[in-house]
Amino acid sequence: MKLTGNNFIGNEKSSVGNSTFKAVNPATGKKLDTSFIEAVPAEIDKSAQKAETAFKIYRNKSGQEKAVFLEAIADEISILGNNLIQRCMAETGLPEARITGERGRTMNQLKLFASVLREGSWLDARIDLAQPDREPLPKPDVRSIQIALGPVGIFGASNFPLAFSVAGGDSTSALAAGCTIVVKAHPAHPGTCELVANAIINAIQKTGMPDGTFSMVHGKSIDVGMAIVTNPLIKAIGFTGSFRGGKAIFDAASKRPSPIPVYAEMGSTNPVFILPGALKDKKKEIVNGLTASVTMGVGQFCTNPGLVFLANTDDTNSFKEVASQSFKESTSGTMLTSEIQKAYKNGIEKLASNIGVEVLATGKTNGEGLQGNPTILITSAEKYLTNSEFEKEIFGPSTLTVSAADKSELLKIAENLSGHLTTTIWANEDDLNYYSDLIGILERKAGRLIINGFPTGVEVCHSMIHGGPYPATTDSRTTSVGTTAINRFTRPVSYQNFPNKLLPNELKDENPLNILRLVDGEYKR
Ligand code: NAP
C-alpha cells in the first residue's frame, strides 16, 4: 500500500496545507519516503463537525454492532501484514519481535473491548422501581445508565506506535464507549498512523458505521493538537505521552469556555523498594530482573523502574557491586527520536552533576545512531530528600539507586513520593511483617502495586489499573489500560418516570439484553 501523507477527514482524504514533514529512521538518521501534510484549522474543524454528525448515529448503534466494528478493525490491521511491521520498524527503530507483539496486543485489545460490549453489563444499569403508594410522598421510577460523551480527541505516544496510537487503548475504549474520535497522528510514526487509519476506514465502510466516526490529522507543530483540544465540539481528550505535553493539553482544556475532561497518562519513575530480607535471599535474581526491566525497549516505557530504594544493611555494598557488573554487561540500543535521545543524555548529565550523585556503571555502546546507554546512578536518602528533581522521569534506560539509613528513612521517602503509575516491593515474609506500613503508604502513591516482580509489562485485562495520582496522570480515578478505560468516555444519565418503550434497551422492564442490573439494590439479570 502506497502512503499518501494525507489527513483523513472522516472517510475523505485531504491535503489542503502547505507545511509538510517526513518521518526519520532513528537507526540511520535518514528521512523516509512520503511527505506528510500538516492539517490546517479548516480541516480540523471539519473533522470535529463530521465527528459530531457521526456521533448522533454511532452512539445509537447496539453493543453487538459496535463489537463487530471493533473486531473488523482488528481484522483490517492483520490484513496490513508485513507492510505495517516494516514501516513501523523503519519509523521507530524497534525490533520486529517487539512490533509484532505490539500488533497482537493491539488486536487483542480491540477484541477484548468487543467482548465487553457483547456482554453489556459495563453500562452500569440501575433501576429503582416506583412506589406510587409510598407515604408521605410517592417514589418515582428512576433508572440510570452510562451514555457516551461525544466526539473525543486522541493523542498517542511515540513509544507505543500501535498499542497507544491510532487504534490503541485510548481510541479503542472511546469507540467502545460510543464516542466518535479525532486522532492526532504522532509525528514520529506518521506512516504507521496512516496504515492503521486506512484499516479503520475500511472497517467503518465494511460494517456500515457513519462517515466521521474516525478522523486523523497530521501535525509536527503543537497547533494541530491544540486546535483539537480547543474545538467546542470535542467533549473529552485521551492523551498518552510526556508530562510536558499532557499538562499543556490539560491546562488548555481547563481554560476553554466549556472545559472538558483530559485523561492524560504521562510519565512515571515507578519506584522499587528492595527490603533487606529479599535483598539477602535473592540479590542476583533481583539485580538481573532490575537490569532487564530498566533496559527493555531501551528504557522507553512509562513503567520503567527509574528509582530503587534500599535500607542500608550488610548486603547493600554487594548489591552495588552486582548491579554495577550487571549494567556494565548490558548494551545500548537505538532510541525513538533524536529529541528523546538528547533529553535522555541531558537528563543523565544533569542528574550526575549533582553533588552526592555518582554514576555507578554504564552499559556498552552497541552501534551507531541514536544510542541510549544503560546507566545506574546512586545517591543517599539524605541527598535524595533535598531535591524533588530526583524523582522526575528521565525517559530511557537509567535508574537511580537510593540507600536509606534505616526503616524510618525508607518510610519517609515513601511518604514523600508524588504520584506514579506503579510502585514495587521486593520482600520476604519477615520484611512484609516488619515493613507492614509501607503498603498503606504506597497505595496512596500509585495505580498498581507489585510484589516481587517488575513494573514493565502491562497486562490488558479487566482489573488492570494503568493510572495513578498526579503527575502520573491528570485524573487518578481511571485507567488507560484494561476494560474499565471505557468509563472515561461516558457519563451517567437518569431517566425518571419514562414509559418502558422510550427507555434504552438496557433499562427496559423485560431486560431484553439479559445484562446484569442493580434493581432495587439487588444485582440480577
Ligand atoms: P509527547 O512528546 O508528549 O507526544 C505525545 C503527543 O502529544 C504527540 O502527538 C505530540 O505532538 C503531542 N503534544 C506534545 N506536547 C504538546 C503540546 N504542548 N500541545 C499539543 N500537543 C502536544 O510524548 P512522546 O515522546 O510521544 O512519549 C514519551 C512519553 O510518553 C514518556 O514520558 C513516557 O513515559 C510517556 N508515556 C506514558 C504512558 C502512560 O501510559 N502513562 C505510556 C507511554 C508513554 P508533537 O510531537 O507534534 O508535539
Side-chain angles (χ1 to χ4, degrees):
M1 184 185 292
K2 184 141 176 46
L3 295 172
T4 65
N6 285 346
N7 298 289
F8 291 73
I9 311 304
N11 296 353
E12 213 179 299
K13 289 195 175 157
S14 179
S15 54
V16 176
N18 300 318
S19 177
T20 63
F21 66 95
K22 286 188 167 184
V24 177
N25 183 331
T28 62
K30 295 217 170 81
K31 286 193 175 159
L32 294 164
D33 58 14
T34 313
S35 291
F36 292 87
I37 302 152
E38 181 150 317
V40 299
E43 288 175 307
I44 298 161
D45 280 353
K46 195 169 170 196
S47 65
Q49 275 157 20
K50 275 191 147 184
E52 172 63 17
T53 308
F55 177 67
K56 291 176 183 143
I57 302 165
Y58 182 68
R59 66 182 289 248
N60 293 317
K61 297 281 182 187
S62 67
Q64 166 67 13
E65 287 170 306
K66 288 194 276 256
V68 169
F69 170 46
L70 295 186
E71 286 163 348
I73 299 175
D75 291 345
E76 292 293 326
I77 290 174
S78 167
I79 290 168
L80 291 170
N82 200 34
N83 243 349
L84 178 67
I85 304 289
Q86 293 306 321
R87 179 75 195 190
C88 196
M89 284 167 65
E91 289 186 333
T92 60
L94 293 170
E96 184 164 359
R98 156 73 198 277
I99 303 286
T100 309
E102 196 179 319
R103 179 183 60 179
R105 172 183 165 156
T106 307
M107 286 160 43
N108 287 340
Q109 187 160 260
L110 284 153
K111 291 175 189 166
L112 180 66
F113 275 94
S115 73
V116 168
L117 295 182
R118 280 211 177 84
E119 198 283 327
S121 305
W122 73 274
L123 281 154
D124 191 23
R126 289 160 183 256
I127 299 176
D128 289 287
L129 296 167
Q131 291 172 16
D133 302 332
R134 191 182 69 174
E135 295 291 346
L137 288 170
K139 181 181 172 194
D141 183 287
V142 184
R143 304 179 185 212
S144 72
I145 202 168
Q146 296 288 326
I147 67 160
L149 285 180
V152 173
I154 305 281
F155 294 74
S158 57
N159 59 337
F160 281 98
L162 298 170
F164 279 98
S165 193
V166 179
D170 288 331
S171 296
T172 303
S173 51
L175 289 171
C179 297
T180 51
I181 58 173
V182 177
V183 177
K184 158 73 177 26
H186 200 292
H189 54 265
T192 304
C193 292
E194 179 175 332
L195 291 170
V196 175
N198 274 310
I200 298 178
I201 299 291
N202 284 345
I204 285 174
Q205 290 171 335
K206 285 186 180 167
T207 59
M209 294 300 158
D211 181 7
T213 301
F214 165 83
S215 289
M216 186 186 82
V217 289
H218 289 289
K220 214 173 159 56
S221 75
I222 60 168
D223 301 351
V224 172
M226 282 302 172
I228 298 173
V229 175
T230 53
N231 189 295
L233 295 172
I234 298 293
K235 297 301 176 206
I237 299 291
F239 171 95
T240 308
S242 63
F243 173 78
R244 181 185 49 83
K247 180 67 166 55
I249 285 169
F250 176 80
D251 290 344
S254 310
K255 284 189 195 126
R256 286 171 35 136
S258 112
I260 51 171
V262 172
Y263 299 106
E265 304 282 338
M266 306 180 285
S268 178
T269 356
N270 307 295
V272 176
F273 289 79
I274 305 176
L275 302 183
L279 185 63
K280 194 175 180 51
D281 298 347
K282 296 183 173 172
K283 197 175 302 129
K284 197 111 190 119
E285 182 189 333
I286 296 172
V287 167
N288 289 343
L290 177 69
T291 312
S293 187
V294 170
T295 58
M296 183 190 285
V298 203
Q300 297 165 117
F301 287 118
C302 48
T303 48
N304 186 51
L307 279 172
V308 175
F309 299 114
L310 306 152
N312 260 333
T313 64
D314 294 345
D315 291 291
T316 318
N317 277 338
S318 61
F319 169 83
K320 287 182 204 165
E321 279 160 29
V322 180
S324 170
Q325 192 53 36
S326 180
F327 268 74
K328 278 181 190 155
E329 283 162 15
S330 67
T331 49
S332 68
T334 305
M335 300 197 85
L336 290 157
T337 65
S338 57
E339 292 82 9
I340 286 177
Q341 195 240 9
K342 207 162 127 202
Y344 176 64
K345 202 166 156 281
N346 291 344
I348 296 289
E349 277 168 16
K350 193 171 163 210
L351 180 59
S353 71
N354 286 285
I355 294 164
V357 178
E358 187 194 322
V359 174
L360 196 58
T362 57
K364 298 178 203 141
T365 307
N366 176 31
E368 301 291 305
L370 306 174
Q371 295 293 300
N373 202 1
T375 307
I376 183 165
L377 303 100
I378 192 150
T379 193
S380 67
E382 197 186 357
K383 190 78 207 160
Y384 170 84
L385 286 166
T386 61
N387 192 339
S388 58
E389 288 293 307
F390 290 4
E391 197 184 339
K392 292 195 178 148
E393 181 189 47
I394 299 174
F395 192 57
S398 78
T399 195
L400 173 65
T401 302
V402 180
S403 31
D406 52 22
K407 176 184 171 188
S408 77
E409 200 168 34
L410 207 63
L411 293 185
K412 188 171 171 196
I413 286 173
E415 286 281 11
N416 267 291
L417 286 172
S418 62
H420 292 267
L421 294 169
T422 72
T423 59
T424 299
I425 301 174
W426 273 88
N428 66 15
E429 276 304 313
D430 292 343
D431 292 326
L432 289 175
N433 289 332
Y434 187 59
Y435 284 85
S436 57
D437 1 13
L438 186 58
I439 291 175
I441 298 170
L442 296 182
E443 270 174 343
R444 298 187 61 193
K445 307 291 182 182
R448 177 163 60 109
L449 274 68
I450 300 146
I451 290 206
N452 294 342
F454 287 97
T456 39
V458 183
E459 186 69 30
V460 183
C461 57
H462 300 290
S463 46
M464 177 51 68
I465 297 302
H466 187 63
Y470 185 86
T473 79
T474 49
D475 193 330
S476 65
R477 294 165 297 179
T478 64
T479 174
S480 67
V481 176
T483 53
T484 47
I486 197 170
N487 299 331
R488 297 176 298 169
F489 303 116
T490 62
R491 65 182 177 86
V493 171
S494 283
Y495 303 87
Q496 189 164 326
N497 288 341
F498 263 49
N500 196 45
K501 68 174 183 191
L502 287 187
L503 285 165
N505 280 338
E506 289 81 359
L507 293 175
K508 286 195 164 97
D509 290 339
E510 61 275 24
N511 193 8
L513 302 174
N514 191 31
I515 60 170
L516 192 64
R517 316 190 292 185
L518 186 67
V519 182
D520 281 341
E522 206 183 311
Y523 279 105
K524 50 171 88 155
R525 285 191 192 266

